[in-house]
Amino acid sequence: MGKERWLAVAVKMELTRVIVSEINDQQAIYLKEVDGARKFPILVGEFEAGIINRRLLEEPPFRPLTHDLLRLTIESLGGEPQEVVVTEMKDHIYFAVLKVKQNDQLLEIDCRPSDAVALSVHYDPPLPIYVAEEVLTEVS
Amino acid sequence: MRIRLQHLMVVVCISFKCASAQSTVWGLQSGDRFSVITTIDSETVIQLADSAPVTSTSKEQLELEYLVGRVRPAETEMQVRVASFVRIGSSGNSFTDSMFDQRLKLLERIPITIRVDPNGVVTNLSGYRESLKQFAGPDRKMLQILHEAWPQQSFESWIGRPFWLTKPGDDNEARESWERIDQLSLGLMGGLRTVATCRIDSQTDDSAKVLVSGAARLIAPSPSDNDASPRSVSFTDVEVTDRSFAGEGLMLLPEKTEDEDSKPVQLRPWFASLALNWSVTGKANITNSGRSQNVSFQHRQKQSSELQPNFRMGRPAAISFPTPPPR
């Protein structure tokens, strides 16, 4: 799928639930359509779920963790994160991009949705989260 | 015989699985932990007979954390604690507010325990007296006033309101409307008791919008309490001339999946948000140091509760309930 295509039909989402499980390996985040009712879960790693949960609880770490480091690095290099987009799903694996503006250029950095969402909640307000309409139609 | 026994065991296992999925409020399981933030926005206008009206407003945000303990077929036991309290705005005395905030913070370690039946009705509450004692500190007069201003029924309603959004009955006999009894404290003026009717207004596959309505009735402070009360100010002959109560909420519906493995994680609790509005206008006599005066009052209150996105499925064995601090 061409990037222009999913950009044109991306749907704004919000993070509505982080499920941190201590009893099994399945951690999940739920994204819900801002102007609609569609929602879907994305399985994430224990570390990412913990990071997102910690941010929602507004518990800043004593020392910068990985996503703090990522945020600081982007800022130090003059980048301005714009948004994150879940672009496609292949073989039950979601793909995402982080869009960063730097020197009037819009960079699209390939990443896992869990990292993208984790980075999103490191900003106040959080970076907007979008999901390609095709992905949303398929999974919700 | 062995095959029959195996069949029986399979049937029993499936039955237990179905029962456990349906028998707890919101599908909660032991070890689950979730938070609800409630924003309370209130305004009270009081006018003494010949004086200009005095308006007091307040806006607070309170986070209650619920930790699920024992889960039994008929009830789910939960520990509830005040996780945070934020005063967003107030027209009151900043010193008094600050003292109130500090006392409320002490409630964080008081173990309040509730039992909730599968229909979302709080059937038992403990920790009420301990909470008031913690709040009042060593001041016995304050404790008595708190008992009058915030009776157990109001306390129970305060903690249990989110559970209103529980559709009673199983799938076969799911009802479209149900009732809850609520009591809102109006402090020393008494309370508002409401039989709230929750009705499904519209629903999608996974959520339902619920409208709440009901007639609020004033519960006046009882005369016998006033006689025994150590406070210098009391309200008597409270009469309500106008009142209203309404609200709406959003609840999630249990996920229906034929193949349980197709959903990675069961989404629970099934509560999303609830907003309730009370309004009451009336008149009373206010007695201050033996002097009685007519007073008219108007009180409106809005409570908006939202489930917080962070939800933890914990290990049942790892639950440790808080203990009250030594006094």
Side-chain angles (χ1 to χ4, degrees):
Chain A
M1 186 197 298
K3 281 174 184 166
E4 299 75 16
R5 193 170 151 211
W6 57 253
L7 277 174
V9 287
V11 179
K12 193 168 185 183
M13 308 292 282
E14 60 185 345
L15 178 67
T16 57
R17 200 73 70 93
V18 181
I19 299 179
V20 179
S21 175
E22 294 167 4
I23 51 178
N24 57 42
D25 298 333
Q26 293 182 327
Q27 323 290 320
I29 56 174
Y30 272 78
L31 298 181
K32 181 186 163 292
E33 202 175 4
V34 171
D35 296 320
R38 290 181 293 178
K39 65 175 188 290
F40 70 101
I42 298 177
L43 290 184
V44 300
E46 196 176 337
F47 174 72
E48 289 76 17
I51 288 286
I52 295 168
N53 195 44
R54 182 198 280 257
R55 279 286 155 180
L56 292 177
L57 292 170
E58 294 173 359
E59 291 173 1
F62 177 62
R63 298 288 295 143
L65 299 179
T66 310
H67 294 87
D68 299 290
L69 175 64
L70 181 57
R71 179 175 62 84
L72 293 171
T73 306
I74 292 169
E75 285 171 9
S76 300
L77 296 174
E80 292 174 40
Q82 304 294 302
E83 60 197 32
V84 297
V85 186
V86 178
T87 54
E88 57 187 319
M89 188 177 74
K90 278 183 201 163
D91 301 326
H92 302 288
I93 296 170
Y94 291 101
F95 290 74
V97 294
L98 168 66
K99 295 167 77 175
V100 180
K101 197 172 169 185
Q102 187 195 37
N103 301 329
D104 294 329
Q105 266 197 317
L106 192 61
L107 308 173
E108 290 180 359
I109 303 163
D110 181 27
C111 61
R112 297 183 302 172
S114 56
D115 284 324
V117 172
L119 186 66
S120 162
V121 296
H122 277 67
Y123 289 86
D124 186 17
L127 297 178
I129 301 168
Y130 290 90
V131 173
E133 175 63 48
E134 266 188 27
V135 175
L136 195 55
T137 306
E138 191 176 341
V139 299
S140 63
Chain B
M1 180 65 184
R2 182 174 291 174
I3 291 171
R4 275 189 189 174
L5 193 62
Q6 281 175 344
H7 280 166
L8 181 68
M9 286 180 71
V10 168
V11 169
V12 168
C13 287
I14 290 171
S15 304
F16 268 118
K17 201 166 186 180
C18 291
S20 70
Q22 292 175 356
S23 66
T24 65
V25 60
W26 294 343
L28 294 171
Q29 300 299 324
S30 182
D32 286 357
R33 188 190 292 259
F34 59 94
S35 300
V36 174
I37 285 190
T38 302
T39 305
I40 305 165
D41 191 349
S42 63
E43 180 185 273
T44 306
V45 182
I46 289 191
Q47 184 170 20
L48 287 169
D50 301 323
S51 312
V54 177
T55 304
S56 57
T57 58
S58 69
K59 191 171 184 181
E60 297 118 18
Q61 209 168 58
L62 193 76
E63 180 177 357
L64 289 182
E65 187 182 71
Y66 297 77
L67 170 62
V68 181
R70 262 182 303 186
V71 171
R72 287 182 285 216
E75 58 190 17
T76 305
E77 191 174 277
M78 287 174 237
Q79 293 281 332
V80 187
R81 74 176 186 100
V82 177
S84 72
F85 174 80
V86 181
R87 187 178 294 280
I88 300 168
S90 168
S91 61
N93 179 309
S94 59
F95 175 74
T96 317
D97 286 350
S98 163
M99 201 172 71
F100 179 87
D101 298 353
Q102 285 172 12
R103 295 261 174 98
L104 201 66
K105 260 207 118 21
L106 292 173
L107 292 185
E108 288 180 10
R109 292 186 62 192
I110 292 291
I112 302 164
T113 306
I114 55 170
R115 290 185 196 150
V116 185
D117 75 11
N119 292 335
V121 176
V122 177
T123 54
N124 186 281
L125 177 139
S126 62
Y128 164 72
R129 289 189 68 83
E130 292 76 6
S131 296
L132 293 197
K133 273 184 188 167
Q134 185 69 52
F135 197 83
D139 188 344
R140 285 182 172 273
K141 286 182 180 176
M142 170 67 92
L143 183 62
Q144 171 96 25
I145 290 170
L146 280 175
H147 268 292
E148 291 176 27
W150 211 20
Q152 178 157 346
Q153 180 66 49
S154 297
F155 192 83
E156 197 172 298
S157 294
W158 169 58
I159 288 175
R161 279 188 196 111
F163 297 103
W164 287 10
L165 297 194
T166 309
K167 202 172 173 181
D170 58 26
D171 288 344
N172 297 328
E173 50 155 345
R175 281 175 258 161
E176 294 305 302
S177 73
W178 58 96
E179 289 182 343
R180 291 286 185 270
I181 293 172
D182 182 66
Q183 188 164 317
L184 177 75
S185 170
L186 294 179
L188 299 178
M189 285 191 290
L192 283 178
R193 183 169 293 174
T194 311
V195 178
T197 303
C198 306
R199 182 176 53 80
I200 302 256
D201 179 59
S202 58
Q203 76 178 63
T204 61
D205 286 345
D206 52 14
S207 65
K209 182 182 169 188
V210 176
L211 294 182
V212 185
S213 59
R217 182 167 65 87
L218 188 93
I219 307 292
S222 73
S224 59
D225 283 348
N226 285 340
D227 291 344
S229 173
R231 59 191 150 89
S232 56
V233 178
S234 63
F235 287 82
T236 53
D237 304 323
V238 184
E239 188 185 324
V240 169
T241 52
D242 192 25
R243 70 210 148 187
S244 69
F245 169 73
E248 70 173 60
L250 184 70
M251 67 180 192
L252 305 183
L253 300 174
E255 292 169 310
K256 287 177 183 168
T257 50
E258 289 174 9
D259 175 13
E260 292 205 353
D261 295 332
S262 67
K263 286 280 179 185
V265 180
Q266 190 203 19
L267 184 61
R268 60 181 194 264
W270 303 334
F271 171 76
S273 62
L274 177 66
L276 299 169
N277 288 284
W278 291 264
S279 170
V280 59
T281 306
K283 52 190 180 181
N285 279 329
I286 182 168
T287 307
N288 189 355
S289 305
R291 192 165 150 246
S292 183
Q293 271 187 296
N294 290 330
V295 63
S296 62
F297 63 88
Q298 193 177 2
H299 177 81
R300 63 153 195 88
Q301 187 170 138
K302 181 178 183 181
Q303 292 193 6
S304 308
S305 301
E306 274 189 18
L307 181 80
Q308 293 309 287
N310 51 301
F311 169 70
R312 188 175 285 270
M313 287 191 278
R315 290 182 194 284
I319 297 173
S320 63
F321 292 139
T323 52
R327 294 209 65 88

Coordinates of all heavy atoms in Angstrom, one line a residue, chain B residues 57-97:
Chain B
T57 N -18.9 27.7 45.8 CA -18.7 26.7 44.7 C -17.5 25.8 45.1 O -16.6 26.3 45.8 CB -18.5 27.3 43.4 OG1 -17.3 28.2 43.5 CG2 -19.7 28.1 42.9
S58 N -17.4 24.7 44.5 CA -16.2 23.8 44.7 C -16.2 22.8 43.5 O -17.2 22.5 42.9 CB -16.3 23.1 46.0 OG -17.3 22.1 46.0
K59 N -14.9 22.5 43.2 CA -14.7 21.5 42.2 C -13.5 20.6 42.6 O -12.5 21.1 42.8 CB -14.4 22.2 40.8 CG -14.4 21.2 39.7 CD -14.4 21.9 38.3 CE -14.5 20.9 37.2 NZ -14.4 21.6 35.9
E60 N -13.8 19.4 42.7 CA -12.8 18.4 43.2 C -12.7 17.2 42.3 O -13.7 16.9 41.7 CB -13.1 18.0 44.6 CG -13.1 19.0 45.7 CD -14.5 19.1 46.3 OE1 -15.3 18.2 46.2 OE2 -14.8 20.1 47.0
Q61 N -11.5 16.6 42.3 CA -11.4 15.4 41.5 C -10.8 14.3 42.5 O -9.8 14.6 43.2 CB -10.4 15.6 40.4 CG -10.6 14.8 39.2 CD -9.8 15.2 38.0 OE1 -8.6 15.3 38.1 NE2 -10.5 15.5 36.9
L62 N -11.5 13.2 42.5 CA -11.2 12.2 43.4 C -11.0 10.9 42.7 O -11.8 10.5 41.8 CB -12.4 12.1 44.4 CG -12.3 11.3 45.6 CD1 -11.5 12.1 46.7 CD2 -13.7 11.0 46.2
E63 N -9.9 10.2 43.0 CA -9.6 8.9 42.3 C -9.8 7.8 43.3 O -9.2 7.8 44.4 CB -8.2 8.9 41.8 CG -7.9 7.6 41.0 CD -6.6 7.5 40.4 OE1 -5.9 8.5 40.4 OE2 -6.2 6.5 39.9
L64 N -10.7 6.9 43.0 CA -10.9 5.7 43.9 C -10.3 4.5 43.1 O -10.5 4.3 41.9 CB -12.4 5.4 44.1 CG -13.2 6.4 45.0 CD1 -14.6 5.9 45.1 CD2 -12.5 6.5 46.3
E65 N -9.5 3.8 43.9 CA -8.9 2.6 43.3 C -9.6 1.4 43.9 O -9.8 1.3 45.1 CB -7.4 2.5 43.6 CG -6.7 1.4 42.9 CD -5.2 1.4 43.3 OE1 -4.9 1.0 44.4 OE2 -4.4 1.7 42.5
Y66 N -10.0 0.5 43.0 CA -10.7 -0.8 43.4 C -9.7 -1.9 43.2 O -9.2 -2.1 42.1 CB -12.0 -0.9 42.6 CG -13.0 0.1 42.8 CD1 -12.8 1.4 42.1 CD2 -14.1 -0.1 43.5 CE1 -13.8 2.4 42.3 CE2 -15.1 0.9 43.7 CZ -14.9 2.2 43.1 OH -15.8 3.1 43.3
L67 N -9.6 -2.7 44.2 CA -8.8 -3.9 44.1 C -9.6 -5.2 44.4 O -10.2 -5.2 45.5 CB -7.6 -3.8 45.1 CG -6.7 -5.1 45.3 CD1 -6.1 -5.5 44.0 CD2 -5.6 -4.8 46.3
V68 N -9.8 -6.0 43.4 CA -10.7 -7.2 43.6 C -10.0 -8.3 44.4 O -8.9 -8.7 44.1 CB -11.1 -7.7 42.2 CG1 -12.0 -8.9 42.4 CG2 -11.7 -6.7 41.4
G69 N -10.6 -8.6 45.5 CA -10.1 -9.7 46.4 C -10.8 -11.0 46.1 O -10.7 -11.5 44.9
R70 N -11.6 -11.5 47.0 CA -12.2 -12.8 46.8 C -13.4 -12.7 45.8 O -14.1 -11.7 45.9 CB -12.8 -13.3 48.2 CG -11.9 -14.3 48.8 CD -12.5 -14.7 50.1 NE -12.8 -13.6 51.0 CZ -13.2 -13.8 52.3 NH1 -13.5 -15.0 52.7 NH2 -13.5 -12.7 53.0
V71 N -13.5 -13.7 45.0 CA -14.6 -13.7 44.0 C -15.4 -14.9 44.3 O -14.9 -16.0 44.3 CB -14.0 -13.7 42.6 CG1 -15.1 -14.0 41.6 CG2 -13.3 -12.4 42.3
R72 N -16.7 -14.7 44.6 CA -17.5 -15.8 44.9 C -18.7 -15.7 44.0 O -19.0 -14.6 43.4 CB -18.0 -15.8 46.4 CG -16.9 -16.2 47.3 CD -17.3 -16.2 48.7 NE -17.4 -14.9 49.3 CZ -17.2 -14.5 50.5 NH1 -16.7 -15.4 51.3 NH2 -17.3 -13.3 50.9
P73 N -19.5 -16.8 43.8 CA -20.6 -16.7 42.8 C -21.6 -15.6 43.1 O -22.1 -15.0 42.2 CB -21.2 -18.1 42.9 CG -20.2 -19.0 43.5 CD -19.3 -18.2 44.3
A74 N -21.9 -15.4 44.3 CA -22.9 -14.4 44.6 C -22.4 -13.0 44.9 O -23.1 -12.0 44.9 CB -23.7 -14.8 45.9
E75 N -21.1 -12.9 45.1 CA -20.5 -11.5 45.4 C -19.0 -11.4 45.1 O -18.3 -12.4 45.1 CB -20.8 -11.1 46.8 CG -20.3 -12.0 47.8 CD -20.8 -11.7 49.2 OE1 -21.8 -11.0 49.4 OE2 -20.1 -12.2 50.2
T76 N -18.6 -10.2 44.8 CA -17.2 -9.9 44.5 C -16.8 -9.0 45.6 O -17.4 -7.9 45.8 CB -17.1 -9.3 43.1 OG1 -17.7 -10.1 42.2 CG2 -15.6 -9.1 42.8
E77 N -15.7 -9.4 46.3 CA -15.2 -8.5 47.4 C -14.1 -7.6 46.8 O -13.2 -8.1 46.1 CB -14.7 -9.4 48.5 CG -14.4 -8.6 49.8 CD -14.0 -9.6 50.9 OE1 -14.9 -10.1 51.5 OE2 -12.8 -9.7 51.1
M78 N -14.2 -6.3 47.2 CA -13.2 -5.4 46.7 C -12.7 -4.5 47.8 O -13.5 -4.1 48.7 CB -13.8 -4.5 45.6 CG -14.0 -5.1 44.3 SD -14.9 -4.0 43.2 CE -16.3 -5.1 42.8
Q79 N -11.4 -4.2 47.8 CA -10.9 -3.1 48.6 C -10.9 -1.8 47.8 O -10.5 -1.8 46.7 CB -9.4 -3.4 49.0 CG -9.3 -4.7 49.9 CD -9.6 -4.4 51.3 OE1 -9.4 -3.3 51.8 NE2 -10.0 -5.4 52.0
V80 N -11.3 -0.8 48.5 CA -11.4 0.5 47.8 C -10.6 1.5 48.6 O -10.6 1.5 49.8 CB -12.9 1.0 47.8 CG1 -13.0 2.3 46.9 CG2 -13.8 0.0 47.2
R81 N -9.8 2.3 47.9 CA -9.0 3.3 48.6 C -9.0 4.6 47.8 O -9.2 4.6 46.6 CB -7.6 2.9 48.9 CG -6.7 2.9 47.7 CD -5.3 2.5 48.1 NE -4.4 2.6 47.0 CZ -3.6 3.7 46.7 NH1 -3.5 4.7 47.6 NH2 -2.9 3.8 45.6
V82 N -8.9 5.7 48.5 CA -8.8 7.0 47.9 C -7.4 7.2 47.4 O -6.4 7.3 48.2 CB -9.1 8.2 48.9 CG1 -9.0 9.5 48.2 CG2 -10.5 8.0 49.4
A83 N -7.2 7.1 46.1 CA -5.8 7.1 45.5 C -5.3 8.5 45.4 O -4.1 8.7 45.5 CB -5.8 6.4 44.2
S84 N -6.2 9.4 45.1 CA -5.8 10.8 45.0 C -7.0 11.8 45.1 O -8.1 11.4 44.9 CB -5.1 11.1 43.6 OG -6.0 11.1 42.6
F85 N -6.6 13.0 45.6 CA -7.7 14.0 45.7 C -7.1 15.3 45.2 O -6.0 15.7 45.7 CB -8.1 14.1 47.2 CG -9.1 15.2 47.4 CD1 -10.4 15.1 47.1 CD2 -8.6 16.5 47.9 CE1 -11.3 16.1 47.3 CE2 -9.5 17.5 48.1 CZ -10.9 17.4 47.8
V86 N -7.7 15.9 44.3 CA -7.3 17.2 43.8 C -8.4 18.2 43.8 O -9.5 18.0 43.4 CB -6.8 17.1 42.3 CG1 -6.3 18.4 41.7 CG2 -5.8 16.0 42.1
R87 N -8.1 19.3 44.5 CA -9.1 20.4 44.5 C -8.8 21.3 43.4 O -7.7 22.0 43.3 CB -8.9 21.2 45.8 CG -10.0 22.2 46.1 CD -9.8 22.9 47.4 NE -10.0 22.0 48.5 CZ -11.2 21.6 49.0 NH1 -12.3 22.1 48.4 NH2 -11.3 20.8 50.0
I88 N -9.8 21.4 42.4 CA -9.6 22.2 41.2 C -9.9 23.6 41.5 O -9.3 24.6 41.0 CB -10.4 21.6 40.1 CG1 -9.9 20.2 39.8 CG2 -10.2 22.4 38.8 CD1 -10.8 19.4 38.9
G89 N -11.0 23.8 42.3 CA -11.4 25.2 42.6 C -12.3 25.2 43.7 O -13.0 24.3 44.0
S90 N -12.3 26.3 44.5 CA -13.2 26.5 45.6 C -13.3 27.9 46.0 O -12.4 28.7 45.9 CB -12.6 25.7 46.8 OG -13.3 26.0 48.0
S91 N -14.5 28.3 46.4 CA -14.7 29.7 46.9 C -14.6 29.7 48.4 O -14.8 30.8 49.0 CB -16.1 30.1 46.4 OG -17.1 29.3 47.0
G92 N -14.2 28.6 49.0 CA -14.2 28.6 50.5 C -12.9 29.1 51.0 O -12.0 29.6 50.3
N93 N -12.7 28.9 52.3 CA -11.6 29.3 53.1 C -10.4 28.4 52.7 O -10.5 27.2 52.9 CB -11.9 29.2 54.6 CG -10.8 29.7 55.4 OD1 -9.7 29.2 55.3 ND2 -11.1 30.6 56.3
S94 N -9.3 29.0 52.3 CA -8.2 28.2 51.8 C -7.5 27.4 53.0 O -7.1 26.2 52.8 CB -7.1 29.0 51.1 OG -6.6 30.0 52.1
F95 N -7.6 27.9 54.2 CA -7.0 27.2 55.3 C -7.8 25.9 55.6 O -7.3 24.8 55.8 CB -7.0 28.1 56.6 CG -6.5 27.4 57.8 CD1 -5.2 27.0 58.0 CD2 -7.4 27.0 58.8 CE1 -4.7 26.3 59.1 CE2 -7.0 26.3 59.9 CZ -5.6 26.0 60.1
T96 N -9.2 26.1 55.6 CA -10.1 25.0 55.9 C -9.9 24.0 54.8 O -9.9 22.8 55.0 CB -11.5 25.5 55.9 OG1 -11.6 26.7 56.7 CG2 -12.4 24.5 56.6
D97 N -9.9 24.4 53.5 CA -9.7 23.5 52.4 C -8.5 22.7 52.5 O -8.4 21.5 52.3 CB -9.6 24.3 51.1 CG -11.0 24.9 50.7 OD1 -12.0 24.5 51.3 OD2 -11.0 25.7 49.7

